[in-house]
Amino acid sequence: MSHAGPDRVRVHPATLAGTVRVPGDKSVSHRCLLLGSLVGEEVTVRGLAPSGDVASTAGALRTLGATVELSPDDEGRLEGRVVGPLREATDVIDCGNSGTSLRLLAGVVAGIDGLAVLTGDASLRRRPVGRVVRPLTAMGAHLHARGDDVPPLVVRGGDLRGITYEQPHASAQVKSCVLLAGLRADGPTTVVSPMPSRDHTERMLRHLGATLDVAIADDGTERVTITPGPLVAAPLHAPRDPSSAAFWQVAAAVAGTTISTPGVLDGETRNGALRVLQEMGADATVTPVDTDGSEPVADVTVTGGDLRGGLTLGGRLVVDALDELPVLALAGAMSAEGLEVTDAAELRVKESDRVATTVAALGALGVTLQARSDGYRVEGGQRPRGGRVDAAGDHRIAMTAAIAGAVGDAPVEISGFAAVATSYPTFLDDLTALGGRVELLD
Ligand code: S3P
């Protein structure tokens, strides 16, 4: 379902312009499969990303007894059907590179009577799970993790009680994990977060008939309450991924070209990077598209020019642009006045330590960033020169380096490029279609 592409590539400077149809949204694709398998009758899905992470969720659900049948549509997006119910798995559940799969599945298996062992690749086995152990334990499940905080994660699920859980960070994965467990609890469950985060689980649960209340207080605190009950089958649809579109939007913004990305998810919790580029001085046209799915969708066209920069990002904007912060560092470097990112300590525990790997990747290209414990600062007026970058096993670092090669002054050689299959296996095809020049080295 996902294809490991070339692992070493050289990207040459080029003018990137045109229209690109990016793959389905990774976060929504996971949820189409996960929530679809909880309905108890057949649910059709379409628009899913043909990516490694989504394949991990599909494989995990099959291990849990679901039928998941997916095949490519005429644009390479996956469509098919999911049929639950889920039951105790007879083998360990391999989540590959996908933190979203592991953390959301923890909430699902907490509601299944039986034992589950969740694990993943070397990167995932370094990422924290204490954040889901705490609330699920409070709900009555029994969980054990290595060193209490990293996978493998062992869950003995069963009778759950409804709780109110206040999470310290605005993590959509933790919120979703607890809401999915709450669906199977003995009474309502509330998740309180310091601010809103991506809300795909809430939107899709409502789309499937769940009872859900969402309130955002004046101070920004978000409270989401789920009342347990059955889900009702409805078709599920993943729009295109704004986090994938962001690479091309940054390319257009810094190079002064125009790139259109039709049909991307356009919820407020996901379009933070686009808002940042607009505030930096890029021009964006956003045209809403009708959809029968659970998410707002828009055609987005970005035209670059002289990027001013000079912004400090923190709070809500950081959560809304979380996965785009590596490539936004490149936009900051190529703007007049640079970019500062605070409140982003979570970057340290993504597929890699993204403060360190962004600093190293752009540093290898002569772009200087100052690492901060909770973000970075980058001076403006810098252009990437050629060089060699190690993707550090992180798809978004690999793609950030590729964009730096395309918009910079000299070729960039990237090793570990196969990691892009995690979210965007067709990245090089799209780069070429927009006018990019790529050499495959092995
Ligand atoms: C995701 C939530 C975010 C994001 C990740 C996908 C999701 O993580 O970084 O790529 O699909 O819920 P956190 O919830 O841990 O911040």
Side-chain angles (χ1 to χ4, degrees), residues 25-28 30-31 100 103-104 127 131 170-176 197-198 200-201 270 319 322-323 346 350-351 354 395-396:
D25 185 75
K26 185 156 78 70
S27 289
V28 176
H30 285 303
R31 288 159 171 85
T100 306
R103 298 195 182 109
L104 269 57
R127 298 182 62 190
R131 54 185 63 195
S171 163
Q173 291 179 355
V174 174
K175 174 174 63 173
S176 300
S197 59
R198 63 189 70 190
H200 313 310
T201 304
R270 291 295 300 285
V319 178
L322 192 59
D323 292 339
E346 279 292 300
K350 292 296 174 188
E351 286 85 327
R354 283 193 178 148
H395 54 129
R396 299 200 200 280

PDB file of all heavy atoms in Angstrom, residues 25-28 30-31 100 103-104 127 131 170-176 197-198 200-201 270 319 322-323 346 350-351 354 395-396, ligand 1:
ATOM      1  N   ASP A  25      -5.413  13.743   3.689  1.00  0.00           N
ATOM      2  CA  ASP A  25      -4.889  14.176   4.986  1.00  0.00           C
ATOM      3  C   ASP A  25      -4.590  12.951   5.871  1.00  0.00           C
ATOM      4  O   ASP A  25      -5.438  12.077   6.060  1.00  0.00           O
ATOM      5  CB  ASP A  25      -5.921  15.072   5.675  1.00  0.00           C
ATOM      6  CG  ASP A  25      -5.359  15.639   6.954  1.00  0.00           C
ATOM      7  OD1 ASP A  25      -4.529  16.550   6.864  1.00  0.00           O
ATOM      8  OD2 ASP A  25      -5.727  15.135   8.039  1.00  0.00           O
ATOM      9  N   LYS A  26      -3.386  12.952   6.425  1.00  0.00           N
ATOM     10  CA  LYS A  26      -2.941  11.811   7.225  1.00  0.00           C
ATOM     11  C   LYS A  26      -3.784  11.675   8.493  1.00  0.00           C
ATOM     12  O   LYS A  26      -4.265  10.591   8.810  1.00  0.00           O
ATOM     13  CB  LYS A  26      -1.450  12.014   7.559  1.00  0.00           C
ATOM     14  CG  LYS A  26      -0.801  10.883   8.280  1.00  0.00           C
ATOM     15  CD  LYS A  26       0.706  10.898   8.054  1.00  0.00           C
ATOM     16  CE  LYS A  26       1.454  11.911   8.889  1.00  0.00           C
ATOM     17  NZ  LYS A  26       1.481  11.568  10.333  1.00  0.00           N
ATOM     18  N   SER A  27      -3.973  12.771   9.227  1.00  0.00           N
ATOM     19  CA  SER A  27      -4.747  12.703  10.477  1.00  0.00           C
ATOM     20  C   SER A  27      -6.168  12.207  10.226  1.00  0.00           C
ATOM     21  O   SER A  27      -6.696  11.370  10.974  1.00  0.00           O
ATOM     22  CB  SER A  27      -4.825  14.089  11.127  1.00  0.00           C
ATOM     23  OG  SER A  27      -3.580  14.455  11.651  1.00  0.00           O
ATOM     24  N   VAL A  28      -6.801  12.730   9.183  1.00  0.00           N
ATOM     25  CA  VAL A  28      -8.189  12.330   8.905  1.00  0.00           C
ATOM     26  C   VAL A  28      -8.229  10.898   8.372  1.00  0.00           C
ATOM     27  O   VAL A  28      -9.141  10.126   8.694  1.00  0.00           O
ATOM     28  CB  VAL A  28      -8.861  13.331   7.941  1.00  0.00           C
ATOM     29  CG1 VAL A  28     -10.265  12.873   7.578  1.00  0.00           C
ATOM     30  CG2 VAL A  28      -8.919  14.716   8.568  1.00  0.00           C
ATOM     31  N   HIS A  30      -6.294   8.367   9.199  1.00  0.00           N
ATOM     32  CA  HIS A  30      -6.256   7.472  10.361  1.00  0.00           C
ATOM     33  C   HIS A  30      -7.642   7.351  10.974  1.00  0.00           C
ATOM     34  O   HIS A  30      -8.100   6.268  11.329  1.00  0.00           O
ATOM     35  CB  HIS A  30      -5.366   8.064  11.468  1.00  0.00           C
ATOM     36  CG  HIS A  30      -3.897   7.974  11.221  1.00  0.00           C
ATOM     37  ND1 HIS A  30      -3.249   6.794  10.993  1.00  0.00           N
ATOM     38  CD2 HIS A  30      -2.935   8.926  11.205  1.00  0.00           C
ATOM     39  CE1 HIS A  30      -1.950   7.027  10.848  1.00  0.00           C
ATOM     40  NE2 HIS A  30      -1.731   8.307  10.971  1.00  0.00           N
ATOM     41  N   ARG A  31      -8.278   8.490  11.164  1.00  0.00           N
ATOM     42  CA  ARG A  31      -9.563   8.501  11.878  1.00  0.00           C
ATOM     43  C   ARG A  31     -10.667   7.851  11.056  1.00  0.00           C
ATOM     44  O   ARG A  31     -11.592   7.254  11.621  1.00  0.00           O
ATOM     45  CB  ARG A  31      -9.911   9.934  12.270  1.00  0.00           C
ATOM     46  CG  ARG A  31      -9.004  10.431  13.427  1.00  0.00           C
ATOM     47  CD  ARG A  31      -8.958  11.935  13.500  1.00  0.00           C
ATOM     48  NE  ARG A  31      -8.299  12.447  14.688  1.00  0.00           N
ATOM     49  CZ  ARG A  31      -6.970  12.622  14.820  1.00  0.00           C
ATOM     50  NH1 ARG A  31      -6.151  12.306  13.828  1.00  0.00           N
ATOM     51  NH2 ARG A  31      -6.464  13.127  15.929  1.00  0.00           N
ATOM     52  N   THR A 100       0.343   8.782  15.920  1.00  0.00           N
ATOM     53  CA  THR A 100      -1.117   8.930  15.955  1.00  0.00           C
ATOM     54  C   THR A 100      -1.776   7.559  16.049  1.00  0.00           C
ATOM     55  O   THR A 100      -2.709   7.361  16.837  1.00  0.00           O
ATOM     56  CB  THR A 100      -1.607   9.693  14.712  1.00  0.00           C
ATOM     57  OG1 THR A 100      -0.886  10.926  14.620  1.00  0.00           O
ATOM     58  CG2 THR A 100      -3.081   9.985  14.780  1.00  0.00           C
ATOM     59  N   ARG A 103      -1.205   6.144  19.719  1.00  0.00           N
ATOM     60  CA  ARG A 103      -1.896   6.828  20.833  1.00  0.00           C
ATOM     61  C   ARG A 103      -3.410   6.717  20.698  1.00  0.00           C
ATOM     62  O   ARG A 103      -4.108   6.533  21.693  1.00  0.00           O
ATOM     63  CB  ARG A 103      -1.414   8.264  20.911  1.00  0.00           C
ATOM     64  CG  ARG A 103       0.109   8.317  21.219  1.00  0.00           C
ATOM     65  CD  ARG A 103       0.548   9.669  21.663  1.00  0.00           C
ATOM     66  NE  ARG A 103       1.976   9.749  21.917  1.00  0.00           N
ATOM     67  CZ  ARG A 103       2.850  10.409  21.148  1.00  0.00           C
ATOM     68  NH1 ARG A 103       2.436  11.017  20.047  1.00  0.00           N
ATOM     69  NH2 ARG A 103       4.123  10.471  21.469  1.00  0.00           N
ATOM     70  N   LEU A 104      -3.940   6.812  19.472  1.00  0.00           N
ATOM     71  CA  LEU A 104      -5.396   6.672  19.329  1.00  0.00           C
ATOM     72  C   LEU A 104      -5.826   5.232  19.582  1.00  0.00           C
ATOM     73  O   LEU A 104      -6.853   4.975  20.221  1.00  0.00           O
ATOM     74  CB  LEU A 104      -5.855   7.149  17.941  1.00  0.00           C
ATOM     75  CG  LEU A 104      -6.241   8.638  17.856  1.00  0.00           C
ATOM     76  CD1 LEU A 104      -5.120   9.558  18.294  1.00  0.00           C
ATOM     77  CD2 LEU A 104      -6.741   9.010  16.473  1.00  0.00           C
ATOM     78  N   ARG A 127       9.223   7.614  21.653  1.00  0.00           N
ATOM     79  CA  ARG A 127       8.273   8.727  21.844  1.00  0.00           C
ATOM     80  C   ARG A 127       7.361   8.489  23.048  1.00  0.00           C
ATOM     81  O   ARG A 127       6.941   7.369  23.308  1.00  0.00           O
ATOM     82  CB  ARG A 127       7.472   8.945  20.556  1.00  0.00           C
ATOM     83  CG  ARG A 127       8.411   9.333  19.407  1.00  0.00           C
ATOM     84  CD  ARG A 127       7.667   9.597  18.131  1.00  0.00           C
ATOM     85  NE  ARG A 127       6.745  10.696  18.263  1.00  0.00           N
ATOM     86  CZ  ARG A 127       5.832  11.004  17.349  1.00  0.00           C
ATOM     87  NH1 ARG A 127       5.724  10.283  16.259  1.00  0.00           N
ATOM     88  NH2 ARG A 127       5.027  12.018  17.547  1.00  0.00           N
ATOM     89  N   ARG A 131       1.593  10.178  28.506  1.00  0.00           N
ATOM     90  CA  ARG A 131       0.472  11.103  28.300  1.00  0.00           C
ATOM     91  C   ARG A 131      -0.851  10.374  28.042  1.00  0.00           C
ATOM     92  O   ARG A 131      -1.910  10.937  28.284  1.00  0.00           O
ATOM     93  CB  ARG A 131       0.820  12.064  27.154  1.00  0.00           C
ATOM     94  CG  ARG A 131       1.226  11.354  25.890  1.00  0.00           C
ATOM     95  CD  ARG A 131       1.698  12.302  24.792  1.00  0.00           C
ATOM     96  NE  ARG A 131       2.891  13.052  25.157  1.00  0.00           N
ATOM     97  CZ  ARG A 131       3.321  14.128  24.493  1.00  0.00           C
ATOM     98  NH1 ARG A 131       2.653  14.568  23.439  1.00  0.00           N
ATOM     99  NH2 ARG A 131       4.400  14.758  24.867  1.00  0.00           N
ATOM    100  N   ALA A 170      -1.987  21.026  24.692  1.00  0.00           N
ATOM    101  CA  ALA A 170      -3.111  20.860  23.773  1.00  0.00           C
ATOM    102  C   ALA A 170      -2.748  19.803  22.738  1.00  0.00           C
ATOM    103  O   ALA A 170      -2.426  20.124  21.597  1.00  0.00           O
ATOM    104  CB  ALA A 170      -3.442  22.187  23.104  1.00  0.00           C
ATOM    105  N   SER A 171      -2.755  18.514  23.146  1.00  0.00           N
ATOM    106  CA  SER A 171      -2.430  17.433  22.203  1.00  0.00           C
ATOM    107  C   SER A 171      -3.707  16.825  21.646  1.00  0.00           C
ATOM    108  O   SER A 171      -4.552  16.322  22.398  1.00  0.00           O
ATOM    109  CB  SER A 171      -1.620  16.345  22.905  1.00  0.00           C
ATOM    110  OG  SER A 171      -1.656  15.155  22.137  1.00  0.00           O
ATOM    111  N   ALA A 172      -3.825  16.846  20.318  1.00  0.00           N
ATOM    112  CA  ALA A 172      -5.002  16.240  19.671  1.00  0.00           C
ATOM    113  C   ALA A 172      -4.969  14.725  19.810  1.00  0.00           C
ATOM    114  O   ALA A 172      -6.011  14.077  19.869  1.00  0.00           O
ATOM    115  CB  ALA A 172      -5.035  16.624  18.202  1.00  0.00           C
ATOM    116  N   GLN A 173      -3.761  14.169  19.867  1.00  0.00           N
ATOM    117  CA  GLN A 173      -3.676  12.708  19.993  1.00  0.00           C
ATOM    118  C   GLN A 173      -4.206  12.263  21.351  1.00  0.00           C
ATOM    119  O   GLN A 173      -4.955  11.287  21.444  1.00  0.00           O
ATOM    120  CB  GLN A 173      -2.234  12.247  19.806  1.00  0.00           C
ATOM    121  CG  GLN A 173      -1.743  12.435  18.384  1.00  0.00           C
ATOM    122  CD  GLN A 173      -0.313  11.995  18.202  1.00  0.00           C
ATOM    123  OE1 GLN A 173       0.367  11.619  19.145  1.00  0.00           O
ATOM    124  NE2 GLN A 173       0.164  12.056  16.971  1.00  0.00           N
ATOM    125  N   VAL A 174      -3.821  12.970  22.403  1.00  0.00           N
ATOM    126  CA  VAL A 174      -4.291  12.598  23.746  1.00  0.00           C
ATOM    127  C   VAL A 174      -5.797  12.829  23.854  1.00  0.00           C
ATOM    128  O   VAL A 174      -6.542  11.973  24.348  1.00  0.00           O
ATOM    129  CB  VAL A 174      -3.518  13.387  24.825  1.00  0.00           C
ATOM    130  CG1 VAL A 174      -4.103  13.120  26.205  1.00  0.00           C
ATOM    131  CG2 VAL A 174      -2.040  13.031  24.777  1.00  0.00           C
ATOM    132  N   LYS A 175      -6.251  13.988  23.373  1.00  0.00           N
ATOM    133  CA  LYS A 175      -7.690  14.283  23.399  1.00  0.00           C
ATOM    134  C   LYS A 175      -8.470  13.179  22.681  1.00  0.00           C
ATOM    135  O   LYS A 175      -9.447  12.635  23.205  1.00  0.00           O
ATOM    136  CB  LYS A 175      -7.931  15.641  22.737  1.00  0.00           C
ATOM    137  CG  LYS A 175      -9.387  16.026  22.548  1.00  0.00           C
ATOM    138  CD  LYS A 175      -9.550  17.458  22.009  1.00  0.00           C
ATOM    139  CE  LYS A 175      -8.966  17.673  20.632  1.00  0.00           C
ATOM    140  NZ  LYS A 175      -9.276  19.011  20.081  1.00  0.00           N
ATOM    141  N   SER A 176      -7.992  12.797  21.505  1.00  0.00           N
ATOM    142  CA  SER A 176      -8.699  11.782  20.711  1.00  0.00           C
ATOM    143  C   SER A 176      -8.677  10.433  21.400  1.00  0.00           C
ATOM    144  O   SER A 176      -9.676   9.702  21.412  1.00  0.00           O
ATOM    145  CB  SER A 176      -8.043  11.656  19.331  1.00  0.00           C
ATOM    146  OG  SER A 176      -8.092  12.888  18.656  1.00  0.00           O
ATOM    147  N   SER A 197      -7.065  22.110  19.748  1.00  0.00           N
ATOM    148  CA  SER A 197      -6.105  21.488  18.840  1.00  0.00           C
ATOM    149  C   SER A 197      -6.926  20.848  17.727  1.00  0.00           C
ATOM    150  O   SER A 197      -8.158  20.956  17.743  1.00  0.00           O
ATOM    151  CB  SER A 197      -5.293  20.427  19.583  1.00  0.00           C
ATOM    152  OG  SER A 197      -6.157  19.446  20.111  1.00  0.00           O
ATOM    153  N   ARG A 198      -6.263  20.173  16.784  1.00  0.00           N
ATOM    154  CA  ARG A 198      -7.025  19.669  15.641  1.00  0.00           C
ATOM    155  C   ARG A 198      -8.226  18.853  16.128  1.00  0.00           C
ATOM    156  O   ARG A 198      -8.112  18.062  17.073  1.00  0.00           O
ATOM    157  CB  ARG A 198      -6.131  18.901  14.667  1.00  0.00           C
ATOM    158  CG  ARG A 198      -5.482  17.657  15.194  1.00  0.00           C
ATOM    159  CD  ARG A 198      -4.440  17.117  14.204  1.00  0.00           C
ATOM    160  NE  ARG A 198      -3.286  17.994  14.146  1.00  0.00           N
ATOM    161  CZ  ARG A 198      -2.300  17.898  13.252  1.00  0.00           C
ATOM    162  NH1 ARG A 198      -2.358  16.978  12.302  1.00  0.00           N
ATOM    163  NH2 ARG A 198      -1.278  18.706  13.278  1.00  0.00           N
ATOM    164  N   HIS A 200     -10.442  16.783  14.346  1.00  0.00           N
ATOM    165  CA  HIS A 200     -10.990  15.823  13.377  1.00  0.00           C
ATOM    166  C   HIS A 200     -11.788  14.708  14.044  1.00  0.00           C
ATOM    167  O   HIS A 200     -12.785  14.250  13.498  1.00  0.00           O
ATOM    168  CB  HIS A 200      -9.857  15.193  12.563  1.00  0.00           C
ATOM    169  CG  HIS A 200      -8.875  16.180  12.042  1.00  0.00           C
ATOM    170  ND1 HIS A 200      -9.261  17.300  11.357  1.00  0.00           N
ATOM    171  CD2 HIS A 200      -7.529  16.220  12.094  1.00  0.00           C
ATOM    172  CE1 HIS A 200      -8.182  17.987  11.033  1.00  0.00           C
ATOM    173  NE2 HIS A 200      -7.120  17.362  11.469  1.00  0.00           N
ATOM    174  N   THR A 201     -11.322  14.265  15.221  1.00  0.00           N
ATOM    175  CA  THR A 201     -12.045  13.182  15.902  1.00  0.00           C
ATOM    176  C   THR A 201     -13.448  13.653  16.280  1.00  0.00           C
ATOM    177  O   THR A 201     -14.441  12.944  16.068  1.00  0.00           O
ATOM    178  CB  THR A 201     -11.266  12.749  17.164  1.00  0.00           C
ATOM    179  OG1 THR A 201      -9.960  12.384  16.772  1.00  0.00           O
ATOM    180  CG2 THR A 201     -11.941  11.576  17.858  1.00  0.00           C
ATOM    181  N   ARG A 270      -5.945  23.574  11.414  1.00  0.00           N
ATOM    182  CA  ARG A 270      -4.928  23.021  10.521  1.00  0.00           C
ATOM    183  C   ARG A 270      -4.348  24.028   9.534  1.00  0.00           C
ATOM    184  O   ARG A 270      -3.397  23.692   8.809  1.00  0.00           O
ATOM    185  CB  ARG A 270      -5.520  21.825   9.746  1.00  0.00           C
ATOM    186  CG  ARG A 270      -5.797  20.608  10.607  1.00  0.00           C
ATOM    187  CD  ARG A 270      -4.533  19.991  11.199  1.00  0.00           C
ATOM    188  NE  ARG A 270      -3.601  19.564  10.171  1.00  0.00           N
ATOM    189  CZ  ARG A 270      -3.766  18.474   9.419  1.00  0.00           C
ATOM    190  NH1 ARG A 270      -4.810  17.693   9.602  1.00  0.00           N
ATOM    191  NH2 ARG A 270      -2.872  18.154   8.514  1.00  0.00           N
ATOM    192  N   VAL A 319       0.109  25.567  17.750  1.00  0.00           N
ATOM    193  CA  VAL A 319      -0.642  24.303  17.688  1.00  0.00           C
ATOM    194  C   VAL A 319      -1.266  24.146  16.297  1.00  0.00           C
ATOM    195  O   VAL A 319      -1.256  23.059  15.714  1.00  0.00           O
ATOM    196  CB  VAL A 319      -1.724  24.253  18.792  1.00  0.00           C
ATOM    197  CG1 VAL A 319      -2.536  22.963  18.705  1.00  0.00           C
ATOM    198  CG2 VAL A 319      -1.066  24.347  20.168  1.00  0.00           C
ATOM    199  N   LEU A 322       1.648  23.181  13.870  1.00  0.00           N
ATOM    200  CA  LEU A 322       2.655  22.355  14.547  1.00  0.00           C
ATOM    201  C   LEU A 322       3.547  21.554  13.608  1.00  0.00           C
ATOM    202  O   LEU A 322       4.780  21.584  13.712  1.00  0.00           O
ATOM    203  CB  LEU A 322       1.916  21.395  15.492  1.00  0.00           C
ATOM    204  CG  LEU A 322       2.743  20.641  16.494  1.00  0.00           C
ATOM    205  CD1 LEU A 322       3.499  21.599  17.396  1.00  0.00           C
ATOM    206  CD2 LEU A 322       1.846  19.730  17.323  1.00  0.00           C
ATOM    207  N   ASP A 323       2.939  20.839  12.661  1.00  0.00           N
ATOM    208  CA  ASP A 323       3.731  19.945  11.810  1.00  0.00           C
ATOM    209  C   ASP A 323       4.450  20.699  10.690  1.00  0.00           C
ATOM    210  O   ASP A 323       5.271  20.122   9.976  1.00  0.00           O
ATOM    211  CB  ASP A 323       2.834  18.852  11.227  1.00  0.00           C
ATOM    212  CG  ASP A 323       2.343  17.896  12.313  1.00  0.00           C
ATOM    213  OD1 ASP A 323       2.982  17.836  13.382  1.00  0.00           O
ATOM    214  OD2 ASP A 323       1.321  17.217  12.096  1.00  0.00           O
ATOM    215  N   GLU A 346       6.852  20.635  22.204  1.00  0.00           N
ATOM    216  CA  GLU A 346       6.384  19.358  21.643  1.00  0.00           C
ATOM    217  C   GLU A 346       7.182  18.937  20.406  1.00  0.00           C
ATOM    218  O   GLU A 346       7.247  17.756  20.061  1.00  0.00           O
ATOM    219  CB  GLU A 346       4.897  19.461  21.279  1.00  0.00           C
ATOM    220  CG  GLU A 346       3.989  19.284  22.467  1.00  0.00           C
ATOM    221  CD  GLU A 346       4.014  17.864  23.013  1.00  0.00           C
ATOM    222  OE1 GLU A 346       3.676  16.939  22.278  1.00  0.00           O
ATOM    223  OE2 GLU A 346       4.402  17.688  24.182  1.00  0.00           O
ATOM    224  N   LYS A 350       8.593  14.702  18.364  1.00  0.00           N
ATOM    225  CA  LYS A 350       7.905  14.258  17.142  1.00  0.00           C
ATOM    226  C   LYS A 350       8.700  13.097  16.527  1.00  0.00           C
ATOM    227  O   LYS A 350       9.482  12.459  17.207  1.00  0.00           O
ATOM    228  CB  LYS A 350       7.760  15.444  16.185  1.00  0.00           C
ATOM    229  CG  LYS A 350       6.807  16.518  16.701  1.00  0.00           C
ATOM    230  CD  LYS A 350       5.402  15.977  16.815  1.00  0.00           C
ATOM    231  CE  LYS A 350       4.446  16.971  17.463  1.00  0.00           C
ATOM    232  NZ  LYS A 350       3.139  16.368  17.732  1.00  0.00           N
ATOM    233  N   GLU A 351       8.513  12.829  15.216  1.00  0.00           N
ATOM    234  CA  GLU A 351       9.182  11.693  14.583  1.00  0.00           C
ATOM    235  C   GLU A 351      10.697  11.767  14.796  1.00  0.00           C
ATOM    236  O   GLU A 351      11.402  10.773  14.756  1.00  0.00           O
ATOM    237  CB  GLU A 351       8.838  11.634  13.099  1.00  0.00           C
ATOM    238  CG  GLU A 351       7.409  11.154  12.811  1.00  0.00           C
ATOM    239  CD  GLU A 351       6.358  12.243  12.871  1.00  0.00           C
ATOM    240  OE1 GLU A 351       6.497  13.198  13.688  1.00  0.00           O
ATOM    241  OE2 GLU A 351       5.368  12.147  12.115  1.00  0.00           O
ATOM    242  N   ARG A 354      12.516  17.682  16.422  1.00  0.00           N
ATOM    243  CA  ARG A 354      12.452  18.569  15.254  1.00  0.00           C
ATOM    244  C   ARG A 354      13.087  19.937  15.471  1.00  0.00           C
ATOM    245  O   ARG A 354      13.280  20.664  14.495  1.00  0.00           O
ATOM    246  CB  ARG A 354      11.006  18.717  14.766  1.00  0.00           C
ATOM    247  CG  ARG A 354      10.554  17.516  13.992  1.00  0.00           C
ATOM    248  CD  ARG A 354       9.264  17.748  13.244  1.00  0.00           C
ATOM    249  NE  ARG A 354       8.923  16.548  12.491  1.00  0.00           N
ATOM    250  CZ  ARG A 354       7.689  16.140  12.242  1.00  0.00           C
ATOM    251  NH1 ARG A 354       6.664  16.845  12.680  1.00  0.00           N
ATOM    252  NH2 ARG A 354       7.474  15.044  11.549  1.00  0.00           N
ATOM    253  N   HIS A 395      10.180  12.285   7.868  1.00  0.00           N
ATOM    254  CA  HIS A 395       9.640  12.665   6.558  1.00  0.00           C
ATOM    255  C   HIS A 395       9.605  14.175   6.351  1.00  0.00           C
ATOM    256  O   HIS A 395       9.915  14.674   5.265  1.00  0.00           O
ATOM    257  CB  HIS A 395       8.251  12.049   6.361  1.00  0.00           C
ATOM    258  CG  HIS A 395       7.254  12.341   7.444  1.00  0.00           C
ATOM    259  ND1 HIS A 395       6.009  12.832   7.206  1.00  0.00           N
ATOM    260  CD2 HIS A 395       7.327  12.202   8.801  1.00  0.00           C
ATOM    261  CE1 HIS A 395       5.348  12.962   8.341  1.00  0.00           C
ATOM    262  NE2 HIS A 395       6.124  12.586   9.333  1.00  0.00           N
ATOM    263  N   ARG A 396       9.242  14.924   7.396  1.00  0.00           N
ATOM    264  CA  ARG A 396       9.102  16.370   7.177  1.00  0.00           C
ATOM    265  C   ARG A 396      10.456  17.077   7.073  1.00  0.00           C
ATOM    266  O   ARG A 396      10.575  18.125   6.445  1.00  0.00           O
ATOM    267  CB  ARG A 396       8.233  16.997   8.273  1.00  0.00           C
ATOM    268  CG  ARG A 396       6.823  16.393   8.280  1.00  0.00           C
ATOM    269  CD  ARG A 396       5.804  17.260   8.976  1.00  0.00           C
ATOM    270  NE  ARG A 396       4.645  16.465   9.359  1.00  0.00           N
ATOM    271  CZ  ARG A 396       3.655  16.113   8.541  1.00  0.00           C
ATOM    272  NH1 ARG A 396       3.656  16.518   7.288  1.00  0.00           N
ATOM    273  NH2 ARG A 396       2.653  15.388   8.969  1.00  0.00           N
TER     274      ARG A 396
HETATM  275  C1  S3P B   1      -1.871  14.556  15.227  1.00  0.00           C
HETATM  276  C2  S3P B   1      -1.670  15.445  16.261  1.00  0.00           C
HETATM  277  C3  S3P B   1      -0.408  16.163  16.471  1.00  0.00           C
HETATM  278  C4  S3P B   1       0.442  16.157  15.204  1.00  0.00           C
HETATM  279  C5  S3P B   1       0.526  14.784  14.593  1.00  0.00           C
HETATM  280  C6  S3P B   1      -0.854  14.305  14.198  1.00  0.00           C
HETATM  281  C7  S3P B   1      -3.174  13.865  15.126  1.00  0.00           C
HETATM  282  O1  S3P B   1       0.305  15.548  17.534  1.00  0.00           O
HETATM  283  O2  S3P B   1       1.747  16.633  15.475  1.00  0.00           O
HETATM  284  O3  S3P B   1       1.338  14.805  13.424  1.00  0.00           O
HETATM  285  O4  S3P B   1      -3.483  13.297  14.051  1.00  0.00           O
HETATM  286  O5  S3P B   1      -3.930  13.894  16.110  1.00  0.00           O
HETATM  287  P1  S3P B   1      -0.031  15.882  19.082  1.00  0.00           P
HETATM  288  O6  S3P B   1      -1.446  15.622  19.315  1.00  0.00           O
HETATM  289  O7  S3P B   1       0.828  14.907  19.859  1.00  0.00           O
HETATM  290  O8  S3P B   1       0.366  17.291  19.313  1.00  0.00           O
END
